[in-house]
Amino acid sequence: MHHEDETAAPADTWRDQLIELDLPGVGPITASADPQLLRDAGDVAHTAGAVHAADAAHAMDAADSVHAADAANEVAFRRRQPTTPPSVETVRSTLQARPPLELEHTWLVLPALGPVLPTLAPDGMVVADVSGRESPFEVRVRPADGPARPSREGALAGAPVDGRPRSPQPPTRTWFRRPVVAGALRRRGGPVALGALVGPRRDWFEPAAAVREDLLAAHPDQALERALLIAVEHGQAAVLRIGPAGLDVIPTGSDPRVPALEGIELLVTARPAQCPLHGRDGEGPCRPLGGPWIRASQEAQVMWEARRSQALAVQDCGVCFGEALPPEPDQPRVPRLAPRTPVVEISRLHLRGGEMVRIDPIIPPRRRR
């Protein structure tokens, strides 16, 4: 469900977002400059106590309901609710409950999401961005349907595609630019950390890559200059610096909505392996929203699966590891947790502005017979 009061403007998301990386020599971490996370110890303790009391009350109510059902010789099923974006307070309380972590080095983080222009309609003209060197965007009209190139791998692998078969787009011209950004950093700075920029409610996910500042260049200003050159070359709007001095956001100038921030206090914690869609640690498998019943349910499930595929494209899951899981005994056979969609076939993205757009995938998905 969309909560207007919890949706920040795109400029605010650069401060409140979660920076989640797998740092070499450190491990998975989560960093956030949300000012609500950095309140005094009394407020944090009060919040933790309130959350604990609420959980205890919920557990007592659940236990009472189970005992009542057992007394009546009935089976009480506790069906898991659909995994929707958690509230900001839930994410904050989870980060506050983790022990803080001090970073020894400073890291330069580069977003790696290609500029995305949505399609105007589900069918017909497709609008997609290119690297930015030649023109700001390119309009491609779908060619007329024609016979697909015959396949030597069988009927299913040779199913017709939309229009003529197209070769994969180069990494510099796709929405998923983390491999090429990470390669540029690796050639200049050695080991690279991979991760994502995540919304405060874990409702959007952007690929990101990071490198240690002292390995990129001897002087911090020189390292920042090199990172900015790489960001500009690959169409990124900012470079983020995280470390003992806090958070800095340095815009490249390509997007006027990105604020310039310097010396913002930062909370860093270790991130346990878990489902990237949940707001609490230790949660089990996610559960889809919607189903194959009515049109609204189908659309909700398509949006949910797009968000899950985008999350698994940029983050690892320590629960299902991106594989399909069968439903629990008390749940219907459908909907079930579907296999992850490959990065090259993702056609919908949840953006930090709050909208979900349909884009031109890296490789057009095959039509199913």
Side-chain angles (χ1 to χ4, degrees), residues 224-248:
L224 178 60
E225 181 180 359
R226 291 183 178 179
L228 286 171
L229 288 175
I230 296 174
V232 171
E233 181 181 1
H234 297 290
Q236 302 307 308
V239 172
L240 294 82
R241 180 195 284 123
I242 63 173
L247 168 69
D248 298 338

Side-chain angles (χ1 to χ4, degrees), residues 7-335:
T7 302
D12 296 335
T13 59
W14 288 93
R15 180 197 60 196
D16 300 339
Q17 66 189 349
L18 307 178
I19 306 170
E20 298 189 336
L21 301 167
D22 191 354
L23 300 180
V26 179
I29 63 103
T30 297
S32 176
D34 186 348
Q36 296 297 325
L37 286 173
L38 307 169
R39 295 173 296 178
D40 59 6
D43 290 342
V44 173
H46 177 73
T47 301
V51 172
H52 178 73
D55 293 341
H58 178 73
M60 292 180 61
D61 293 341
D64 292 341
S65 63
V66 171
H67 290 317
D70 290 340
N73 295 324
E74 295 179 357
V75 179
F77 294 112
R78 296 185 59 187
R79 178 174 299 177
R80 291 182 292 114
Q81 295 298 318
T83 307
T84 56
S87 65
V88 177
E89 288 74 15
T90 299
V91 178
R92 287 172 183 164
S93 62
T94 299
L95 296 178
Q96 290 169 350
R98 298 176 184 172
L101 180 68
E102 294 185 4
L103 293 180
E104 181 180 357
H105 302 282
T106 299
W107 295 79
L108 296 175
V109 184
L110 272 68
L113 177 68
V116 175
L117 295 177
T119 58
L120 302 179
D123 299 319
M125 184 172 62
V126 177
V127 182
D129 181 81
V130 296
S131 63
R133 297 180 179 180
E134 299 178 359
S135 59
F137 61 89
E138 176 188 36
V139 178
R140 296 194 300 273
V141 180
R142 294 183 184 273
D145 293 338
R149 181 174 53 191
S151 172
R152 291 172 293 181
E153 301 178 18
L156 293 179
V161 298
D162 294 339
R164 296 180 302 172
R166 289 192 295 172
S167 60
Q169 301 177 12
T172 56
R173 301 170 74 95
T174 67
W175 71 269
F176 188 70
R177 302 189 182 182
R178 193 169 69 179
V180 65
V181 171
L185 291 174
R186 189 174 292 110
R187 288 190 296 271
R188 295 170 173 85
V192 171
L194 302 179
L197 305 179
V198 184
R201 298 180 55 229
R202 310 198 71 86
D203 49 350
W204 52 263
F205 302 83
E206 296 180 0
V211 67
R212 263 175 53 177
E213 183 183 68
D214 57 336
L215 297 181
L216 190 60
H219 195 276
D221 292 343
Q222 185 181 8
L224 178 60
E225 181 180 359
R226 291 183 178 179
L228 286 171
L229 288 175
I230 296 174
V232 171
E233 181 181 1
H234 297 290
Q236 302 307 308
V239 172
L240 294 82
R241 180 195 284 123
I242 63 173
L247 168 69
D248 298 338
V249 177
I250 303 95
T252 62
S254 62
D255 190 344
R257 299 175 300 173
V258 180
L261 304 176
E262 184 177 0
I264 305 298
E265 191 174 358
L266 192 68
L267 174 65
V268 182
T269 64
R271 178 180 180 269
Q274 60 178 357
C275 174
L277 300 183
H278 285 294
R280 291 190 176 93
D281 296 337
E283 293 284 353
C286 56
R287 181 169 182 252
L289 175 67
W293 304 294
I294 61 177
R295 184 181 182 86
S297 298
Q298 297 172 5
E299 293 178 353
Q301 188 173 15
V302 168
M303 294 179 62
W304 186 91
E305 290 182 352
R307 173 171 165 261
R308 175 176 180 265
S309 297
Q310 186 176 351
L312 294 178
V314 298
Q315 288 189 303
D316 295 328
C317 178
V319 179
C320 71
F321 304 98
E323 299 296 332
L325 294 180
E328 294 182 354
D330 64 316
Q331 294 178 353
R333 297 298 303 174
V334 290

